[in-house]
Amino acid sequence: MVERPASVVKELLENALDAGARQVDVELEQGGIRLIKVRDNGSGIHRDDLALALRRHATSKIASQDDLMSISTLGFRGEALPSIDSIAELELTSAVAGEGGYSQCNGELKPAAHSTGTTVTVRDLFFRIPARRKFLRTEKT
């Protein structure tokens, strides 16, 4: 469950590190309430997996039953994305090496200019549940 902007940033940073990113850029507006943008140069998410990454109980890290016994990551890439998408506007843009980029937003997949890696853009945190927004601490916090 997403409680505050910092928890969103933490999850997105862990996803970037799990994807092998060597560089991660984070952009915030209004303490993360208006905008959280995390861009990495990791392995990227394949076009066919972009929509899957936004579905609940989906992960790109388990391909076989044997994978369950050898998890060595900070989390399941995509595990937090459906939760974030349920409370904010989320755009997922990614490209894998040797392929063009794609963007997934509001159920629509479109080609997008993007280098290898992933950019997650979260706008208007908690706009879908305004009651939660009034319990947030100040922007400075």
Side-chain angles (χ1 to χ4, degrees), residues 62-101:
I62 309 259
S64 72
Q65 187 173 358
D66 293 334
D67 291 342
L68 288 172
M69 300 309 291
S70 61
I71 296 171
S72 60
T73 60
L74 297 170
F76 295 112
R77 186 171 179 100
E79 180 180 72
L81 294 177
S83 295
I84 297 167
D85 190 39
S86 72
I87 61 163
E89 184 177 317
L90 186 141
E91 181 177 5
L92 187 58
T93 308
S94 193
V96 296
E99 295 186 19

Side-chain angles (χ1 to χ4, degrees), residues 20-63:
R22 295 172 121 343
Q23 180 176 340
V24 180
D25 298 316
V26 178
E27 181 181 339
L28 302 173
E29 289 180 14
Q30 288 186 324
I33 299 299
R34 181 170 300 238
L35 173 77
I36 298 170
K37 188 175 200 175
V38 177
R39 182 180 179 113
D40 69 58
N41 66 349
S43 59
I45 303 171
H46 191 272
R47 173 183 83 146
D48 297 337
D49 292 333
L50 281 173
L52 181 62
L54 298 177
R55 289 185 32 209
R56 292 203 176 277
H57 310 297
T59 178
S60 60
K61 293 190 177 160
I62 309 259

